[in-house]
């Protein structure tokens, strides 16, 4: 990604206000050791580092930057970090105090931190990015008055921190084995989801990390305005850790610590504006283990335990706007009627509409999918497509040769290649093996799947490989049955979905954020329910969005859904309306049974294989039409799978090297 616009802020009102706030005294006393303590931290804790004028840049505009105070707080053997924005420094009406609260960092323990990245741009100020072990990344923290070196030195005095061997600007925290690329596959082990105070972190009756988070959070409430809490809100039910261990797939898939969930929930809980910000909290890439579906309930029956608010948009009352009913799939003979004598598609809009309402017959997909994916231009001729196929095959073989020519000795010195190859080898042998096309030992199609993914990791070296990509490639190879053509169709798909796998997870975050806004628009009672139950991060929809519902439907239905989504007929973000439609279909059960985050996560997982695709597509169409321009306005510009503009093509996969 491009560096944010940087320029001299000496005459900027926001910067001046931060200086004024930073110079204000803060009731700080000195301990015998000479370190600072403050009345704003709990008894027994001390401030070991404090820095004013540490700033977040939500946008490129100087007037919208937010300055605050960064602290490192020590309690017993635990170290915590907080960043609190200053009060009343905004000169821009669009940035309210509520917006500033959006970015507040409250008592994150360093046991939850994976790495810290330091950046020193040629122009501008040093900044850091703190990445949590869950994969969440806080926004860049700019140090206007220096202090990054002291910040890192202070951390080193209290926690184990080492410099990455791959990047001297990356400092790994509590990383005893130095895993430089913690990928999705590392999250497949059972994990407890904390439901109460954690064990004490040290002897002598010192406070646990969870307890101290709460105490520090309470003590800093006076420093920043907080939204009012619902006095009638009920506490979550406690959970048996043994039960939590049995919540597989999505729970392993998200693997969100209690703190990470609370942080992300805070993001959505305090954000009531339509301003999207450049860096709200980011979700991580989660693992996709192949686990058999074990439905444990009848997904259609809601066992109500309390009154459920009515649905403001009942589907049964919306039949008039559903448009045309679902149609039979597009066959080869009908497909031919869309082409002129030289093979050009004469009316691409009519073709997309036809596919939107009916999909494509499997025998015709090999011809149609390259158009839907953008690999073939709609105005290309038969001859042009044949020439493209030949030239692209040669290009594919050139890239493939790059990794095939790596010797064993060279591979020993090529850590990133070994790691990516290991991940791909591990994933392809468990991708759709129940399908006859990929079944059996030494299946050549599995080997082709592996070769394509390895070649893509060299073709797009910045993005590389992440779990979930094999799920997206599998149906393409199944349809195209040609290695080179499958590769280039996959490349075209990743131009839309590549941001889903960025290390900073901003692409996934923007989609989940947009989803929360659409639910608020289309079903306010359901949105309020999620808000009251700390579910506004929408992590339970993460798998749906990441791999486009690949695990939610049968293989043939997944292909039909994909080609409907690829038409972009009503919206390029129809997949988000599909998410809303599913949630609304099961809203009565979710709200009636008062599902909390963990229960909802398990319920969503068990919906897999029980969702009526045709009904959901009709519902999604109705919701999209109802939302209209208002719905589109709730989706941040550039939210995947938006196609890049011509100027953005070169930057499509440029990884923000500010994040591990």
């Amino acid at each position: 990604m491009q560096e944010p616009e940087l320029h001299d802020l000496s005459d900027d009102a926001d910067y001046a206000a931060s200086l004024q706030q930073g110079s204000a005294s803060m009731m700080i006393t000195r301990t015998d050791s000479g370190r600072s303590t403050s009345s704003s931290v709990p008894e027994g804790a001390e401030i070991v580092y404090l820095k004013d004028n540490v700033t977040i840049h939500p946008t490129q505009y100087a007037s919208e930057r937010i300055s605050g105070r960064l602290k490192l707080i020590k309690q017993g053997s635990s170290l915590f970090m907080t960043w609190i924005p200053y009060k009343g420094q905004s000169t821009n009406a669009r940035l309210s105090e509520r917006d500033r609260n959006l970015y507040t960092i409250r008592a994150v323990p360093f046991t939850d931190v994976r790495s810290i990245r330091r950046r020193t741009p040629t122009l501008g100020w040093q900044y850091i990015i703190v990445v949590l072990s869950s994969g969440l990344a806080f926004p860049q923290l700019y140090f206007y008055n220096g202090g990054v070196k002291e910040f890192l030195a202070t951390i080193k005095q209290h926690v184990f921190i080492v410099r990455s061997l791959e990047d001297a600007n990356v400092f790994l925290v509590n990383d005893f084995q130095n895993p430089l690329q913690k990928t999705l596959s590392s999250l497949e082990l059972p994990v407890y989801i904390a439901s109460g105070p954690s064990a004490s972190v040290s002897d002598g009756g010192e406070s646990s990390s969870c307890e101290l988070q709460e105490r520090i959070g309470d003590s800093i409430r006076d420093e920043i305005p907080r939204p009012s809490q619902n006095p009638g809100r009920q506490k979550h039910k406690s959970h048996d850790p043994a039960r939590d261990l049995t919540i597989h797939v999505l729970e392993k898939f998200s693997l969100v610590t209690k703190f990470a969930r609370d942080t992300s929930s805070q993001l959505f809980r305090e954000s009531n504006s339509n301003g999207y910000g450049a860096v709200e909290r980011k979700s991580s890439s989660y693992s996709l283990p192949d686990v058999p579906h074990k439905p444990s309930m009848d997904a259609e029956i809601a066992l109500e335990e309390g009154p459920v608010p009515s649905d403001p948009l009942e589907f049964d009352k919306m039949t008039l706007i559903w448009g045309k009913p679902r149609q039979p799939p597009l066959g080869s003979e009908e497909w031919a009627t869309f082409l002129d004598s030289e093979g050009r598609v004469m009316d691409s809009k009519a073709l997309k509409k036809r596919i939107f309402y009916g999909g494509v017959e499997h025998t015709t997909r090999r011809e149609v999918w390259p158009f839907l994916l953008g690999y073939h231009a709609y105005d290309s001729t038969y001859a042009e497509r044949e020439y493209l196929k030949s030239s692209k095959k040669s290009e594919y073989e050139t890239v493939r040769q790059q990794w095939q020519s790596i010797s064993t000795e060279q591979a020993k010195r090529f850590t990133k290649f070994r790691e990516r190859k290991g991940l791909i080898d591990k994933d392809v042998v468990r991708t759709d093996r129940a399908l006859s096309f990929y079944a059996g030992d030494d299946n050549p199609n599995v080997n082709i799947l592996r070769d394509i993914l390895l070649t893509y990791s060299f073709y797009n070296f910045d993005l590389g490989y992440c779990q979930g990509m094999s799920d997206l490639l599998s149906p393409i190879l199944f349809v195209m049955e040609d290695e080179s053509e499958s590769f280039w169709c996959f490349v075209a798909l990743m131009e839309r979905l590549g941001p889903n796998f960025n290390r900073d997870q901003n692409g996934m975050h923007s989609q989940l954020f947009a989803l929360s806004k659409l639910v608020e628009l289309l079903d306010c009672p359901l949105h309020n329910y999620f808000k009251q139950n700390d579910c506004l991060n929408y992590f339970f929809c993460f798998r749906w969005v990441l791999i486009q519902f690949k695990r939610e439907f049968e293989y043939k239905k997944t292909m039909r859904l994909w080609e409907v989504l690829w038409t972009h007929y009503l919206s390029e973000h129809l997949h988000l309306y599909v998410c809303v439609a599913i949630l609304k279909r099961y809203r009565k059960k979710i709200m009636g049974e008062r599902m909390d985050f963990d229960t909802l996560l398990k319920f969503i997982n068990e919906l897999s294989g029980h969702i009526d695709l045709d009904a959901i597509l009709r519902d999604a169409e109705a919701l999209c039409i109802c939302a209209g321009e208002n719905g589109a306005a709730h989706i941040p510009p550039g939210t995947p799978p938006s196609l890049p503009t011509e100027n953005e093509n070169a930057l499509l996969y440029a990884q923000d090297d500010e994040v591990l």
Side-chain angles (χ1 to χ4, degrees), residues 479-492:
V479 166
M480 300 305 297
E481 296 183 319
D482 178 271
E483 185 171 344
S484 173
E485 291 287 277
S486 298
F487 173 81
W488 292 112
C489 285
F490 179 67
V491 168

Side-chain angles (χ1 to χ4, degrees), residues 12-50:
D12 179 68
D14 187 63
Y15 179 66
S18 74
L19 288 175
Q20 185 175 4
Q21 288 284 346
S23 61
S25 61
M26 175 190 144
M27 293 188 69
I28 297 177
T29 60
R30 306 292 293 180
T31 65
D32 293 338
S33 63
R35 289 172 178 165
S36 299
T37 61
S38 169
S39 60
S40 65
V41 298
E43 182 180 355
E46 64 173 333
I47 299 174
V48 295
Y49 176 90
L50 185 148

Side-chain angles (χ1 to χ4, degrees), residues 434-497:
L435 197 69
S436 60
F437 187 78
Y438 294 110
D441 297 332
D442 299 321
N443 187 306
N445 294 318
V446 174
N447 294 332
I448 293 174
L449 194 72
R450 165 185 169 273
D451 289 354
I452 292 175
L453 291 171
L454 270 169
T455 305
Y456 182 78
S457 74
F458 270 69
Y459 174 80
N460 187 351
F461 201 82
D462 285 337
L463 187 60
Y465 175 79
C466 294
Q467 255 184 309
M469 290 183 181
S470 61
D471 279 280
L472 296 177
L473 173 59
S474 170
I476 293 176
L477 179 58
F478 178 72
V479 166
M480 300 305 297
E481 296 183 319
D482 178 271
E483 185 171 344
S484 173
E485 291 287 277
S486 298
F487 173 81
W488 292 112
C489 285
F490 179 67
V491 168
L493 178 61
M494 292 304 292
E495 289 200 3
R496 305 180 185 187
L497 299 182

Side-chain angles (χ1 to χ4, degrees), residues 99 271-277 280 513 517 520 630 633-637:
D99 295 322
S271 174
N272 292 328
S273 68
N274 289 338
Y276 306 112
E280 289 95 358
F513 181 77
K517 290 297 183 182
E520 184 178 14
N630 200 9
H634 280 70
I635 301 175

